[in-house]
Amino acid sequence: MHTVVVGTSGVTASDVLAVARDGARIELSGEAVAALAAAREIVEALAAKPEPVYGVSTGFGALATRHISPELRAQLQRNIVRSHAAGLGPRVEREVVRALMFLRLKTVCSGHTGVRPEVAQTMADVLNAGITPVVHEYGSLGCSGDLAPLSHCALTLMGEGDAEGPDGVVRPAGELLAAHGIVPVELREKEGLALLNGTDGMLGMLIMALADLDTLYKSADVTAALSMEALLGTDQVLAPELHAIRPHPGQGAAAANMLAVLKGSGLTGHHQDDAPRVQDAYSVRCAPQVAGAGRDTMAHARLVAERELAAAVDNPVVLPDGRVESNGNFHGAPVAYVLDFLAIAAADLASIAERRTDRLLDKNRSHGLPPFLADDAGVDSGLMIAQYTQAALVSELKRLAVPASADSIPSSAMQEDHVSMGWSAARKLRTAVDNLARVLAVELYAASRAIELREGLTPAPASRAAIDAVRAAGVQGPGPDRFLAPDLAAADAFVRAGLLVTAVESVTGPLQ
C-alpha cells in the first residue's frame, strides 16, 4: 500500500489522487508533529489571557463580538461543528470526501492552525481506516471555507453523525470509530473552527478534474483525428510550421497529437471523386485551436491548484512570530474562477466534437458516407439518435458553463457579504467532465464506424489500433440497427478509462 507522508509544506496533486482514489495510507512527519505542538502552545497561551482573540476566545462570524469564558470554550468548539454540519441533498462521492479531509489535514499539519497533534492524527486514522463521513451536496458558499462539508467531516472525528465504513455501509460514526479502535476527539480552543475553514472541497475536485481532463483532452485529439480521416480531410493544417507562427503551447500540442495519430493514413487528402477541397470545415480544421485553448486553460488551473496546495488556509492563523491574526485567505475566488474556466472549455470541446459527429452522419457533408452511417438507410436509422444524445449532452454542458463564481449571496447577517460559490463551480465541473467523456465516446463510435465504411482505403496504424481496441472492448462495428445504448456505454467506459489513449500510444508513443 502506497503511503503519503504529510509534512508542513503542503502536498502534491498526485498525493491527493493517491489518497482520494487509491486509498493510500497517511503518515504525519516528525516535522509536522513538532509544528503542530509549537503552534498549539501559542494558542493555549493566548487562551489563558483575558483579552479576547477571534476563534480562540470569541464567537464566530457575526457573533465574533462575544467573549467566551474558559468553561464554555470546549462547548463552543463542539457547537460550531454541530451547527455548521447543516448540509442537505444527495451524498457527495467518496473520493471527494477523502480529498476534502486529506486537504484539511494538509493545512492542519502546516503548523498555522493551532490544532493539537492528536487531532491531526485522528484525521489520518479515520482516513486510513476507510471511514468516509456522509457529506451532502448543498451547504457550502465557498467562503469561510467549505463550511458545511468540512463540518460533517469534523462531526465524524467527534464520533457523531453518520459515516460510511470500508464495507460501504453507512452507520453511526461513533460505532465505526469504536470498531477501528479510534477514540473520538474532544475539541479545544480554536480546533473546531480550524477544521472548518478551508477551500479543501473545491480544491480536491479541481485536482481530480484536472487529472480526468488530461486524459479527455488527449482522447479528443484522437477522436478529432479519426473524424478527419473519416471525412477525407487534409492533415496539412496540422503542420508544425503553421502552429509555430501562433505559438500557443496547447494548440501546438493538440496539432502534434493529431498529426501523430494520422501518420501513414491512406484516407487524409483522398478526396471523393479526386476533387480536392480547398478547406475543411471549421470543426475539422480548427480542432487544434479549440483543444489547445482548453489545454492552456488547464495549465493556468494547474498553477492555481499548485499554489493552493502549498497554502495554509485558515482564519485566524498562527504566525511564526507567535501572533494569531485574522485574514481572508479562506475566500475561494482563486479556485472558483478556474473551476468555471474549465467548465467553459469542456463545453466548447464537446461542442466542436458534436459538430464533427453531425457532419459524419449527414450525407450532404460526409463526402460519400451513407446517411447516418446506416446499413440500409430508411430501413435502418443508423446513428441518428446517438447524435441526439450527444446534442443533449452538449446542451447540458453549455448550461453548466454558466459561471457560478459570477454569483454571490450574502450570509451571516451580512458579515460574510461576498462569497465565491466555488463549491458549486466544482460540483458542476464534475458533471461537465462526465458529460464530455460521453460526448467524445459518441464521436469515437461514429468516426470508427465511418472509417470502416471507407472500403478500399487504409486508416493510419494508430487509428487502426484504436478501432481494434474499441472493438475488443465490446463496441460493435457497422451493420444493421441494434440496441445502441450498450455500445455507447461501452465506448464511454473505454474513453473514461483512458484506453483510447493507451491504444493509440502503443503506436505513436506518448501523446502530449
Side-chain angles (χ1 to χ4, degrees), residues 390 393 431 433-443 492 496:
Q390 194 185 39
L393 289 162
T431 304
V433 170
D434 282 344
N435 285 351
L436 174 60
R438 296 177 180 119
V439 168
L440 296 178
V442 176
E443 184 182 17
D492 177 33
R496 199 178 298 269

Side-chain angles (χ1 to χ4, degrees), residues 305-336:
E306 289 169 356
R307 289 170 176 164
E308 199 75 356
L309 283 168
V313 178
D314 193 16
N315 178 48
V317 291
V318 180
L319 297 174
D321 61 8
R323 287 180 295 144
V324 175
E325 297 285 357
S326 292
N327 67 88
N329 284 345
F330 48 72
H331 198 289
V335 183

Side-chain angles (χ1 to χ4, degrees), residues 456-509:
L457 297 177
T458 305
S463 301
R464 184 74 264 168
I467 295 169
D468 289 346
V470 76
R471 297 288 174 261
V475 181
Q476 299 182 55
D481 281 357
R482 55 182 172 268
F483 181 24
L484 207 54
D487 272 2
L488 297 179
D492 177 33
F494 183 78
V495 169
R496 199 178 298 269
L499 298 177
L500 176 60
V501 175
T502 300
V504 165
E505 288 182 335
S506 69
V507 175
T508 64

Side-chain angles (χ1 to χ4, degrees), residues 43-395:
V43 168
E44 290 181 350
L46 288 171
K49 292 183 176 182
E51 298 84 9
V53 177
Y54 176 71
V56 177
S57 53
T58 71
F60 310 109
L63 303 176
T65 55
R66 178 176 172 182
H67 182 254
I68 307 299
S69 58
E71 66 274 10
L72 294 177
R73 290 176 189 169
Q75 181 181 341
L76 170 71
Q77 300 300 320
R78 288 194 302 271
N79 285 351
I80 189 176
V81 172
R82 289 169 176 164
S83 65
H84 285 46
L88 279 176
R91 284 180 57 193
V92 170
E93 303 85 356
R94 182 176 186 270
E95 66 176 14
V96 173
V97 180
R98 286 184 63 82
L100 173 77
M101 289 188 69
F102 176 64
L103 287 167
R104 182 77 319 227
L105 176 60
K106 175 269 296 184
T107 283
V108 164
C109 287
S110 69
H112 290 294
T113 68
V115 169
R116 287 169 295 151
E118 49 265 46
V119 175
Q121 186 59 57
T122 302
M123 296 172 76
D125 291 343
V126 168
L127 284 164
N128 289 340
I131 297 171
T132 307
V134 171
V135 173
H136 299 280
E137 180 82 16
Y138 302 104
S140 173
L141 300 179
C143 202
S144 289
D146 290 317
L147 287 174
L150 283 163
S151 298
H152 283 277
C153 294
L155 201 64
T156 294
L157 301 179
M158 292 165 50
E160 300 180 19
D162 293 326
E164 180 185 295
D167 57 0
V169 176
V170 174
R171 298 167 55 190
E175 292 181 13
L176 284 169
L177 295 187
H180 290 84
I182 300 172
V183 178
V185 297
E186 292 283 347
L187 298 176
R188 297 183 186 172
E189 291 93 344
K190 195 183 180 302
E191 290 180 334
L193 184 61
L195 294 177
L196 315 186
N197 246 324
T199 56
D200 308 294
M202 63 184 90
L203 176 59
M205 287 185 274
L206 171 61
I207 289 165
M208 289 185 283
L210 285 168
D212 294 338
L213 287 169
D214 184 64
T215 297
L216 292 179
Y217 268 82
K218 293 175 185 175
S219 300
D221 293 339
V222 175
T223 60
L226 294 176
S227 291
M228 179 179 279
E229 274 194 295
L231 292 166
L232 307 178
T234 175
D235 60 4
Q236 293 175 359
V237 297
L238 304 175
E241 59 270 24
L242 294 176
H243 297 277
I245 62 175
R246 195 191 191 195
H248 293 288
Q251 177 181 323
N257 285 348
M258 289 182 66
L259 204 56
V261 174
L262 293 170
K263 185 177 181 181
S265 174
L267 284 87
T268 51
H270 190 104
H271 301 299
Q272 183 186 14
D273 301 325
D274 295 322
R277 270 166 273 150
V278 176
Q279 295 178 333
D280 291 310
Y282 283 12
S283 61
V284 178
R285 191 182 356 147
C286 301
Q289 284 76 11
V290 172
R295 271 187 167 80
D296 292 341
T297 301
M298 285 173 60
H300 172 59
R302 194 170 286 113
L303 176 62
V304 171
E306 289 169 356
R307 289 170 176 164
E308 199 75 356
L309 283 168
V313 178
D314 193 16
N315 178 48
V317 291
V318 180
L319 297 174
D321 61 8
R323 287 180 295 144
V324 175
E325 297 285 357
S326 292
N327 67 88
N329 284 345
F330 48 72
H331 198 289
V335 183
Y337 291 169
V338 294
L339 288 163
D340 280 333
F341 295 166
L342 291 174
I344 292 168
D348 201 35
L349 187 64
S351 178
I352 197 171
E354 184 275 332
R355 289 292 80 205
R356 289 191 295 264
T357 303
D358 182 67
R359 185 166 289 272
L360 289 166
L361 305 188
D362 184 351
K363 69 181 182 66
N364 297 311
R365 295 179 292 138
S366 65
H367 308 289
L369 291 169
F372 302 105
L373 306 181
D375 186 63
D376 184 4
V379 175
D380 294 313
S381 294
L383 305 191
M384 180 190 295
I385 308 305
Q387 185 268 331
Y388 282 35
T389 299
Q390 194 185 39
L393 289 162
V394 170
S395 287

